[in-house]
């Protein structure tokens, strides 16, 4: 037999490597921006067309490259940032693997123009699918411009895998945000389809945060500074009253590299304990500087995890530093009696500020409705849809009769009247609420346990889907419209989904400058919480955008259902439980939530009997 193993051609090897490093346009953006930063640029321009599908161009005013280096930079494992194995433990640059340009050039058509300050002419290189097409001298200014055209032109599978332009562009902006936040000394300009999207002046960290996140961050930020032998901490946390229900504004950088660390997040979160409700997350923008030898960034090219040598010590220092800052700014409780008192202020004074004494003029106001937004009066629920089938699960009147006949001969007279009464209240089956979380009810074959939160989520989800399909939604107009200022990224997001949100019962209109006015909200949503609700929907929608299964409207319906549904911990009376069960079984799919979680659990009499066997 002949030997069959052969070395892969370089271009194929590069394409495989590219699969690891370049997953979507945003990955190319990240690599190019990082290269420009590593080249000591002070001004970087990012030009995007069609969310990066047709063009990603990064123009910087950094060091530039010699003609030979320009050619070399596209080779795999070609880097100016590492010379030997020891350097691997002393990494101060963002890149070091020498893979990015080779990978990008393997899956796109790339045009590079570059020139160093010492040179009189620059170099232009065109390379497509790892194949060098042109290298020639050219006129250009100091620095480097790399244009990546038709990304994945030779990898259709990758191209087809990309999400909508909105989603891909948001990923790009997320990457830009991470790099721009931690490099305020660099100016940035971003263009999308020839329109200026963002312009960031050079400045300090605080200015950069405010420029990126919105002016209202100016008064939210509390500085954190700490210097010890093993770590230097600097940056800002947001005052506790601005904590969010959802994660998303946690920016932690180690040696100017964005990282995610649940462990260190916990340290910061811990410093906020008692200051924010348990289900909220502190927002922060913190930079850690450590000796590069004490961390391992070499885990995976696209991963944001980092291993620390002194993780425990850093945890403790970080927690104390944040706690001290909160205390210094008299936000955290101290032994001082007065501040202790001031501390009982409600957390969301931001909202309280705008509360003007109101007269509620809602003629249809029904306290029960607010308690449990289950009232779908006039909503086109086909009441008898599945319920017949499901009613088979419940004991019927004759089942009761049989039991009674067998057991209660003496009380015959009495039980008949009793029975008539039950007949009158035919709908109200016997329910029991367990730990304000589960509804337990008897069915023919045993017992059924319903998760109240998930059940309501399902009911609302189907209701919202119906409203979308029928273009029929109801909106509860606010007496005092509320304005909300968002970050530029959230503004993009909200603009994308504004139409759909309004179809779901919101009445929101853009007001310019990242500001929106909320005029109305879907029935069942709380007026006081409407800003939170909107932010939560944006966040859940952002997190869900990678779910292929659902279209955008379904995703919004899911997010909204999740956010305004009855929560665990809410006590329900018998009528409420019954109406919840009825509505659940009128659903297309009462068994699972849209995201696939089981809502109902049945324990059969057999199973129960087994438990009592010896
Ligand atoms: P790495 O960044 O890991 O070294 P890359 O493939 O991203 O690998 O880049 C290869 C090399 O090309 C870099 O080490 C650097 O010397 C050079 N280079 C890339 N982009 C730029 C740029 N914008 N300005 C100057 N040099 C660059
Ligand atoms: Mg690089």
């Amino acid at each position: 037999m002949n030997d069959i193993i052969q070395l892969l051609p370089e271009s194929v090897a590069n394409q495989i490597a590219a699969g690891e490093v370049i997953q979507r346009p945003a990955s190319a953006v990240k690599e190019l921006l990082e290269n420009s930063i590593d080249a000591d640029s002070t001004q970087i321009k990012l030009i995007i067309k069609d969310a990066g599908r047709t063009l990603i161009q990064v123009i910087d005013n950094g060091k530039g490259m010699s003609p030979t280096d320009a050619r070399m930079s596209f080779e795999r494992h070609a880097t100016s940032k590492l010379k030997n194995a020891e350097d691997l433990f002393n990494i101060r640059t963002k890149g070091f693997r020498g893979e990015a340009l080779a990978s990008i050039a393997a899956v796109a058509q790339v045009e590079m123009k570059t020139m160093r300050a010492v040179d009189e002419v620059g170099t232009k290189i065109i390379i497509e699918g790892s194949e060098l097409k042109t290298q020639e001298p050219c006129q250009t200014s100091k620095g480097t411009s790399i244009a990546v055209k038709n990304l994945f032109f030779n990898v259709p599978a990758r191209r087809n895998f990309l999400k909508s332009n909105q989603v891909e562009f948001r990923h790009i902006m997320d990457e830009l945000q991470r790099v721009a936040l931690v490099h305020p000394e660099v100016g940035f300009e971003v263009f999308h389809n020839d329109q200026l999207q963002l312009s960031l002046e050079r400045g300090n960290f605080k200015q950069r945060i405010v420029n990126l996140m919105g002016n209202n961050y100016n008064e939210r930020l509390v500085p954190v500074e700490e210097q010890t032998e093993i770590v230097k901490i600097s940056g800002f946390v947001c005052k506790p009253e601005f904590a969010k229900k959802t994660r998303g504004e946690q920016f932690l950088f180690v040696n100017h590299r964005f990282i995610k660390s649940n462990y260190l997040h916990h340290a910061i979160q811990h410093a906020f304990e008692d200051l924010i409700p348990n289900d909220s997350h502190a927002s922060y923008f913190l930079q850690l500087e450590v000796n590069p030898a004490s961390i391992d960034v070499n885990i995976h090219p696209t991963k944001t995890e980092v291993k620390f040598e002194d993780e425990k010590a850093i945890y403790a220092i970080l927690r104390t530093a944040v706690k001290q800052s909160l205390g210094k700014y008299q936000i955290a409780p101290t032994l001082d009696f007065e501040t202790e008192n001031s501390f009982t202020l409600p957390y969301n004074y931001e909202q309280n500020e705008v509360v003007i004494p109101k007269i509620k003029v809602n003629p249809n106001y029904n306290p029960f409705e607010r308690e449990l937004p289950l009232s779908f009066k006039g909503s086109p629920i086909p009441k008898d849809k599945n319920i017949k089938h499901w009613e088979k699960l419940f004991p019927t009147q004759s089942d009761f009769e049989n039991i009674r006949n067998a057991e209660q001969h003496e009380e015959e007279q009495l039980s008949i009247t009793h029975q008539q009464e039950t007949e009158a209240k035919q709908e109200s089956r016997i329910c029991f609420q367990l730990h304000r979380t589960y509804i337990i009810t008897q069915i023919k074959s045993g017992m059924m346990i319903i998760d109240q939160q998930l059940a309501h989520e399902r009911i609302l989800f189907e209701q919202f889907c119906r409203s979308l399909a029928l273009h029929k939604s109801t909106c509860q107009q606010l007496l005092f419209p509320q304005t909300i200022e968002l970050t530029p990224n959230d503004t993009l997001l909200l603009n994308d989904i504004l139409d759909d949100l309004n179809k779901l019962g919101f009445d929101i209109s853009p007001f310019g400058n990242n500001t929106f006015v909320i005029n109305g909200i879907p029935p069942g949503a709380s007026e006081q919480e409407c800003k939170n609700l909107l932010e939560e929907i944006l966040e859940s929608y952002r997190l869900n955008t990678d779910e292929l299964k659902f279209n955008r409207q379904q995703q919004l319906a899911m997010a909204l259902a999740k956010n305004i549904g009855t929560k665990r911990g809410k006590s329900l009376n018998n009528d409420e439980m019954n109406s919840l069960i009825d509505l659940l079984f009128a659903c297309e799919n009462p068994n699972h939530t849209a995201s696939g979680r089981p809502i109902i659990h049945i324990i059969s009499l057999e199973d129960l009997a087994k438990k009592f066997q010896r």
Side-chain angles (χ1 to χ4, degrees):
M1 274 283 262
N2 290 335
D3 297 331
I4 52 171
I5 297 179
Q6 53 183 339
L7 271 180
L8 287 175
E10 189 64 16
S11 61
V12 178
N14 279 341
Q15 230 186 66
I16 294 172
E20 291 261 301
V21 190
I22 308 299
Q23 281 144 356
R24 54 174 11 133
S27 349
V29 169
K30 170 177 183 275
E31 295 295 340
L32 295 178
L33 291 177
E34 291 190 346
N35 279 346
S36 296
I37 302 267
D38 282 345
D40 298 332
S41 310
T42 55
Q43 188 65 39
I44 298 176
K45 194 170 179 177
L46 173 64
I47 301 171
I48 303 289
K49 293 221 165 111
D50 303 320
R53 283 169 214 267
T54 44
L55 178 72
I56 299 165
Q57 183 171 18
V58 172
I59 305 171
D60 68 41
N61 63 353
K63 279 187 209 154
M65 284 174 263
S66 72
T68 320
D69 282 351
R71 174 69 194 90
M72 268 297 279
S73 70
F74 288 104
E75 292 298 318
R76 201 138 58 97
H77 307 306
T79 177
S80 56
K81 302 168 195 175
L82 269 189
K83 298 219 159 42
N84 49 46
E86 262 129 64
D87 289 351
L88 203 45
F89 303 99
N90 189 22
I91 288 169
R92 292 179 190 275
T93 51
K94 301 216 177 280
F96 58 89
R97 289 187 173 79
E99 281 179 330
L101 288 186
S103 299
I104 293 172
V107 293
Q109 298 155 342
V110 179
E111 184 183 307
M112 174 199 272
K113 285 185 187 171
T114 185
M115 190 176 87
R116 298 174 300 177
V118 293
D119 297 328
E120 263 157 33
V121 286
T123 306
K124 172 171 151 184
I125 287 182
I126 296 179
I127 183 164
E128 294 182 8
S130 298
E131 206 178 299
L132 182 71
K133 299 279 176 190
T134 327
Q135 168 154 14
E136 60 194 23
C138 75
Q139 284 303 318
T140 181
S141 43
K142 184 210 154 205
T144 304
S145 153
I146 299 184
V148 178
K149 296 175 191 166
N150 303 319
L151 188 66
F152 302 132
F153 78 104
N154 53 355
V155 200
R158 267 291 150 148
R159 207 171 51 228
N160 297 337
F161 181 75
L162 294 181
K163 301 280 157 48
S164 68
N165 277 4
Q166 285 99 334
V167 173
E168 293 302 336
F169 188 65
R170 271 203 306 278
H171 281 290
I172 290 176
M173 292 304 278
D174 283 345
E175 292 296 350
L176 180 104
Q177 196 176 42
R178 292 169 179 184
V179 175
L181 263 176
V182 77
H183 290 286
E185 77 283 3
V186 180
F188 288 88
E189 270 183 316
V190 183
F191 293 84
H192 189 202
N193 295 334
D194 298 321
Q195 280 193 329
L196 181 66
Q197 287 282 334
L198 184 66
S199 167
L200 298 168
E201 301 266 303
R202 303 173 56 187
N204 60 29
F205 192 33
K206 183 167 184 183
Q207 288 162 335
R208 180 55 54 93
I209 296 171
V210 170
N211 286 344
L212 269 170
M213 310 303 291
N215 279 334
N216 47 2
Y217 277 70
N218 233 328
E219 39 31 288
R220 294 189 185 186
L221 302 173
V222 177
V224 179
E225 298 287 341
E226 183 62 78
Q227 179 137 28
T228 68
E229 296 243 306
I230 55 171
V231 61
K232 177 171 176 250
I233 300 172
S234 60
F236 301 87
V237 293
C238 278
K239 293 177 187 166
E241 58 266 32
F242 300 106
K244 302 231 159 134
K245 280 266 160 53
T246 44
R247 284 186 75 164
E249 277 170 23
Q250 286 77 37
F251 292 92
L252 194 58
F253 301 91
V254 172
N255 295 356
H256 293 90
R257 190 185 292 275
F258 175 84
I259 65 152
K260 282 193 179 139
S261 160
N262 282 333
Y263 185 68
L264 295 184
H265 172 68
H266 187 261
I268 301 165
Q269 192 72 12
H270 209 117
F272 274 83
E273 73 183 346
D274 301 336
L275 290 173
I276 56 177
N278 273 344
D279 56 350
S280 294
H281 298 279
S283 301
Y284 50 83
F285 307 84
L286 290 170
Q287 303 198 33
L288 310 187
E289 272 173 57
V290 296
N291 180 347
S294 75
I295 52 170
D296 183 0
V297 290
N298 198 10
I299 300 178
H300 188 273
T302 57
K303 290 274 161 20
T304 43
E305 281 103 37
V306 164
K307 275 198 222 144
F308 292 88
E309 205 173 86
D310 311 300
E311 201 169 47
K312 288 216 172 94
I314 293 179
Y315 182 101
I317 298 166
L318 185 58
R319 185 180 152 217
T320 317
V322 173
K323 214 173 167 118
Q324 267 174 3
S325 297
L326 292 173
K328 217 192 270 168
Y329 285 79
Q330 307 220 320
I331 296 160
T334 61
L335 290 176
D336 182 331
F337 194 68
E338 283 199 337
T339 41
E340 181 92 34
N341 261 352
S342 70
F343 183 57
T344 54
L345 281 171
Y347 297 122
N348 6 352
Y349 80 68
E350 184 199 20
Q351 282 149 12
N352 290 352
E353 257 177 10
V354 292
V355 173
I356 308 159
K358 297 177 191 177
I359 317 150
K360 184 104 195 163
V361 277
N362 179 356
N364 300 322
Y365 181 73
N366 167 351
F368 178 66
E369 246 179 62
R370 282 204 81 75
E371 281 295 292
L372 184 82
L374 272 180
S375 62
F376 301 127
K377 284 194 223 92
S379 82
I381 291 185
K383 252 239 154 187
D384 54 356
K385 185 133 192 221
N386 291 337
I387 205 148
K388 290 233 172 63
H389 161 69
W390 278 95
E391 267 174 349
K392 287 192 203 129
L393 287 170
F394 293 97
T396 61
Q397 214 51 44
S398 61
D399 289 324
F400 278 125
E401 265 165 42
N402 291 341
I403 299 169
R404 273 178 215 284
N405 288 344
E407 285 178 358
Q408 298 180 311
H409 292 293
E410 314 95 313
E411 289 177 74
E412 190 105 48
Q413 273 313 96
L414 192 73
S415 60
I416 285 170
T417 41
H418 208 86
Q419 213 171 295
Q420 285 163 337
E421 231 183 283
T422 330
E423 253 164 20
K425 287 193 228 150
Q426 164 70 347
E427 298 152 0
S428 79
R429 53 184 93 70
I430 303 153
C431 298
F432 172 75
Q433 195 186 21
L434 188 71
H435 290 285
R436 295 185 177 177
T437 303
Y438 304 104
I439 301 170
I440 296 182
T441 182
Q442 177 177 317
I443 55 168
K444 258 190 198 171
S445 63
M447 66 191 256
M448 177 159 69
I449 309 171
I450 299 171
D451 184 309
Q452 67 185 52
Q453 180 173 328
L454 300 182
H456 199 206
E457 203 178 302
R458 177 84 227 176
I459 295 165
L460 292 174
F461 173 70
E462 293 200 5
Q463 195 210 354
F464 290 135
C465 287
R466 264 192 303 275
S467 311
L468 285 168
L470 302 173
H471 301 286
K472 245 206 263 180
S473 65
T474 32
C475 170
Q476 170 191 333
Q477 291 293 324
L478 301 184
L479 202 52
F480 298 101
Q482 304 205 15
T483 46
I484 180 167
E485 190 180 337
L486 298 175
T487 62
N489 276 12
D490 280 350
T491 302
L492 278 177
L493 194 66
L494 184 54
N495 275 327
D496 279 359
I497 59 177
L498 201 58
D499 277 355
D500 289 331
L501 278 183
N502 288 342
K503 279 190 204 142
L504 279 164
F506 279 96
D507 178 357
I508 303 174
S509 37
F511 204 63
N513 257 341
N514 302 326
T515 309
F516 292 82
V517 184
I518 310 176
N519 295 304
I521 51 180
S526 126
E527 181 162 350
Q528 284 85 39
E529 289 287 315
C530 74
K531 283 187 189 176
N532 274 347
L533 173 66
L534 191 63
E535 289 193 353
E536 282 170 26
I537 288 175
L538 288 175
E539 178 73 10
S540 353
Y541 177 66
R542 190 207 310 275
L543 295 177
N544 270 333
T545 44
D546 283 345
E547 286 256 7
L548 275 179
K549 257 192 316 181
F550 299 101
N551 66 31
R552 180 170 65 202
Q553 295 191 332
Q554 284 171 326
Q555 281 176 27
L556 286 174
M558 265 166 85
L560 191 57
K562 215 179 227 151
N563 282 298
I564 71 176
T566 306
K567 295 291 175 317
R568 297 196 178 92
K570 167 123 184 58
S571 143
L572 302 178
N573 67 30
N574 209 50
D575 288 343
E576 291 169 324
M577 289 192 272
N578 269 298
S579 104
L580 190 84
I581 296 177
D582 284 344
L583 289 165
L584 178 65
F585 290 122
C587 283
E588 295 276 337
N589 177 359
N591 289 308
H592 292 95
T593 62
S595 54
R597 291 177 64 182
I599 299 170
I600 301 165
H601 202 74
I602 289 176
I603 299 180
S604 68
L605 286 171
E606 270 169 39
D607 284 349
L608 276 175
K610 272 189 209 144
K611 300 229 183 284
F612 294 100
Q613 270 163 14
R614 292 217 305 156

